[in-house]
Structure formats: C-alpha cells, structure tokens
Amino acid sequence: MSNLARTERLRLVDTANRAGEDAPTLCEGWTTRDLATHLVIRERHPVAALGIFMPKLEGKREEQERVYAAMPYSSLLGLVASPPRWTPGRWPGVESVMNTAEYIVHHEDIRRAEIEWIPRRLSLPENRAVWTACRTALLPFAAKAEGRVTIVGPGFGQHSTGRKSGGSKGGAQGLTITGEPVEILLYLMGREDHALVDVK
C-alpha cells in the first residue's frame, strides 16, 4: 500500500508544523527542524545523506545542512511534503519499501517526544502495510540478535527469523515481540523505550 507512505509524509509535516521547529524528537540531539532537514537531504541529496554513516562524506552532509538551516521552516516542510520528481521513492513498488517505515517512525519520533501522547489508531489497510514494513525491518534487527527473533501482531500473524540458538539478547529461547504493527516497527527501529510491546 504505497499511498500510506504518502499519507504519513503529510501527517508528519502537519505534526511538525504544529510542534514548531525547536520541538524535541526521539532522535537524540535533533529538533523537528533537524529531522525535517534529514528527510529533505535523504531524498534530494542521497550522496550527502550517506555522511551519517561514512565519515568521508560528512562534509557534504554538513554543507547541505547549512543550506537548509537558513531556509524558513515553512519552506523546509514544504520540501518534505513535495518530494522531487526524480527520487526513486516515486518509482512503482519502491515507495512503500523506501518510505513507509521512514515516515511512520519519524512521525512517531515527533509525537512521542511530547510530554503527553497517545497511541494512534491506524486503519486495517494501513496496519497491514506497517506489518509488511515490520517483516522487512526484522531482518537487520535479527541479524544483530543472538537468538531467533519472532514478531507477533495479533490479527496480522507472526514471523520469525535469525539463528535458533544464542546468548544474551533473546538467549537460547529466542526473543518474541508482541504488539500492534506500529509498536513493533518502533521497537525494531531502535525505539525500544517508547514502543508499547510485550517482549519475552
């Protein structure tokens, strides 16, 4: 369901606009402006975006960050809302893989950094799309785990991957994460302290 990525993009922009450019996020050290800048660079300057992971490209990333730091916040959010025509995220079949998890998680990064927040209720089709994203996110998560990892989404099924035996994280019995698709996705994407899941 690729249009969930588009819908969530606009929801994130709306939430970021209401929060203001200096609002905190769950991304340590990032304000909503920083997060919006990351999203714009990711789509419009993919080489510079690699500077997050590759020190030799850090200068390119910082250069682009300075450009967007001078831009009015409303204009920056406008770029988030309207991706460039040439981005791979516009290709059929690519948008959902590239952007669904990205925008769901970063939207929650803004929402859950607030003092008071409540879980959102997504539609059944939207939850199915998030569940698909969970299965994709499970692969890199399980690759770092010591045992087999199982995700259980009541009403959506369960999926397991990883080694069948191991040590600390999950142990020989493995690790089972149960919850709503959005909550599981947040857990798998490093937001363990803010995900409403049952972990055994």
Side-chain angles (χ1 to χ4, degrees):
M1 182 180 176
S2 62
N3 66 350
L4 175 58
R6 301 173 202 165
T7 299
E8 200 61 21
R9 176 193 293 272
L10 297 179
R11 288 171 177 166
L12 180 151
V13 168
D14 180 64
T15 299
N17 183 53
R18 287 186 284 105
E21 64 183 308
D22 296 321
T25 72
L26 296 186
C27 300
E28 186 176 355
W30 278 11
T31 63
T32 47
R33 172 180 273 278
D34 296 325
L35 195 154
T37 298
H38 159 73
L39 293 172
V40 171
I41 293 175
R42 173 179 175 266
E43 286 190 316
R44 296 173 183 268
H45 310 279
V47 174
L50 292 175
I52 295 178
F53 311 105
M54 301 173 64
K56 66 179 182 180
L57 295 175
E58 188 173 356
K60 288 184 177 294
R61 176 180 60 82
E62 292 176 346
E63 179 182 349
Q64 292 301 328
E65 287 176 347
R66 287 193 292 271
V67 171
Y68 292 113
M71 180 177 289
Y73 186 54
S74 59
S75 299
L76 182 64
L77 292 182
L79 293 179
V80 177
S82 301
R85 292 183 178 182
W86 50 263
T87 179
R90 287 187 179 271
W91 299 346
V94 175
E95 183 179 25
S96 59
V97 175
M98 180 177 172
N99 288 332
T100 298
E102 181 81 4
Y103 281 91
I104 285 282
V105 170
H106 281 322
H107 187 186
E108 293 300 324
D109 283 336
I110 299 172
R111 295 186 69 256
R112 300 189 185 207
E114 296 180 358
I115 296 176
E116 294 184 359
W117 60 271
I118 58 174
R120 289 187 293 155
R121 296 292 182 184
L122 300 185
S123 69
L124 180 58
E126 288 176 334
N127 269 315
R128 286 175 177 156
V130 179
W131 179 247
T132 298
C134 287
R135 295 182 61 170
T136 300
L138 176 60
L139 297 175
F141 181 90
K144 298 176 183 178
E146 296 295 334
R148 195 159 181 80
V149 182
T150 300
I151 55 174
V152 180
F156 300 95
Q158 70 177 54
H159 189 66
S160 301
T161 193
R163 295 178 289 274
K164 292 188 177 181
S165 62
S168 59
K169 193 173 184 180
Q173 299 301 314
L175 183 72
T176 299
I177 307 163
T178 303
E180 293 296 315
V182 168
E183 305 301 331
I184 293 175
L185 182 62
L186 288 169
Y187 190 93
L188 296 176
M189 298 291 284
R191 279 69 174 176
E192 295 95 334
D193 293 340
H194 301 276
L196 304 179
V197 294
D198 179 52
V199 181
K200 295 180 180 179

